[in-house]
Amino acid sequence: MTETYQILVVDDDFSIVNIIETVLKQAGYRVLTARDGEMACRLVQIHHPHLIIMDVMMPQCNGLMATMRIRQDNNVPILMLSAKAEGSDRVLGLEAGADDYLVKPFYQQELLARVRALLRRYDRLGSIREGGAKDQIPVGDIILDTGAKQLIVRGDRVRLTATEFKILYVLMSNPGRVYSAEEIYERVWKSDAYAVENTVMVHISRIREKLELNPKKPEYLKVVWGIGYVFEAP
């Protein structure tokens, strides 16, 4: 049923947001709104919407930039909106990671039809967050057991705190990807990051004690100096 779906609407034009929000709510969807791409990226991490309606032209972080950031670790359907109908703009949107493209002005029924089609595809193929969250996430000879909330280190089960588990879930779900301390903090603590380097570093140090043969010379959980942390097989 549509009421189970939450849709994020991203546009700096409040009149457009109000129209789309009204149409979606009348159709039974739950709606979140954001005024720019930066806010959209934060809301995606916190609320995990089932679909995003993203405008292209916005201040600070535009729709293309936000879509590329979201696509780094999330395959939530994205319907991109633009006042430009040129083929090159459509290509740019799709190459950034959008699933569909709708030109303003649009008919309300066409918007709803696109939304329903994308949600059907989402249900059929699943999402990285839900369908890909298997009971175990292996990286080399380290396995994160998402069911038991434990770490399996070279065959031995190791207990983790809730925070340690969440940090490892972020890092091991995307091995080889570098996460800044701020990004880890926002994903795990679900709040804005400000001067959080020491907090994250302490937890990383504790995790290393549990999984590395030599925590001072880590093989798996490494620092990329000046950027952040990465989990990868040696």
Side-chain angles (χ1 to χ4, degrees):
M1 296 177 63
T2 56
E3 63 265 26
T4 64
Y5 294 113
Q6 185 174 62
I7 298 175
L8 173 61
V9 180
V10 190
D11 200 314
D12 63 324
D13 187 330
F14 292 106
S15 62
I16 294 293
V17 171
N18 289 336
I19 291 171
I20 296 176
E21 183 177 12
T22 299
V23 170
L24 293 176
K25 285 185 174 180
Q26 287 176 347
Y29 299 103
R30 292 179 291 124
V31 181
L32 290 169
T33 63
R35 63 179 178 271
D36 57 49
E38 192 69 39
M39 181 184 293
C41 291
R42 292 198 299 269
L43 290 177
V44 167
Q45 297 301 329
I46 296 171
H47 295 284
H48 307 292
H50 297 94
L51 184 142
I52 302 171
I53 299 175
M54 179 86 73
D55 184 42
V56 173
M57 299 302 295
M58 293 181 292
Q60 298 180 28
C61 178
N62 65 37
L64 296 175
M65 294 170 59
T67 296
M68 287 188 286
R69 285 175 56 181
I70 292 167
R71 277 289 174 262
Q72 290 177 347
D73 62 357
N74 197 316
N75 70 342
V76 58
I78 298 177
L79 173 59
M80 189 157 281
L81 302 180
S82 177
K84 298 181 180 180
E86 288 82 359
S88 58
D89 293 300
R90 183 184 300 268
V91 170
L92 284 174
L94 296 176
E95 286 184 344
D99 296 278
D100 202 354
Y101 193 97
L102 188 59
V103 177
K104 301 176 184 177
F106 49 80
Y107 291 106
Q108 295 180 8
Q109 289 306 313
E110 182 180 7
L111 173 68
L112 286 175
R114 301 286 186 96
V115 166
R116 292 182 184 121
L118 288 172
L119 287 172
R120 284 196 298 270
R121 190 185 311 167
Y122 177 92
D123 281 340
R124 186 169 62 251
L125 298 178
S127 69
I128 288 174
R129 179 176 56 87
E130 295 175 350
K134 300 177 181 178
D135 290 339
Q136 293 187 339
I137 302 175
V139 179
D141 56 4
I142 307 295
I143 299 172
L144 187 66
D145 188 327
T146 60
K149 301 293 190 292
Q150 290 181 334
L151 192 65
I152 304 173
V153 180
R154 302 170 192 88
D156 295 326
R157 287 188 174 269
V158 176
R159 288 191 176 275
L160 299 168
T161 66
T163 300
E164 290 166 353
F165 173 81
K166 290 176 183 177
I167 291 173
L168 278 175
Y169 184 83
V170 169
L171 295 172
M172 292 183 67
S173 293
N174 295 280
R177 184 190 163 188
V178 180
Y179 289 85
S180 68
E182 290 78 11
E183 188 172 6
I184 292 172
Y185 187 90
E186 289 176 353
R187 287 172 176 244
V188 172
W189 280 266
K190 305 298 183 185
S191 63
D192 293 339
Y194 177 74
V196 299
E197 290 84 357
N198 288 339
T199 300
V200 174
M201 182 178 63
V202 168
H203 288 283
I204 293 291
S205 177
R206 291 175 180 169
I207 292 170
R208 281 180 176 157
E209 293 288 340
K210 296 182 177 183
L211 69 88
E212 299 286 1
L213 291 173
N214 183 354
K216 294 183 178 180
K217 295 182 179 180
E219 297 180 303
Y220 285 92
L221 184 44
K222 302 173 184 176
V223 173
V224 180
W225 294 107
I227 302 178
Y229 301 93
V230 61
F231 198 103
E232 58 187 357

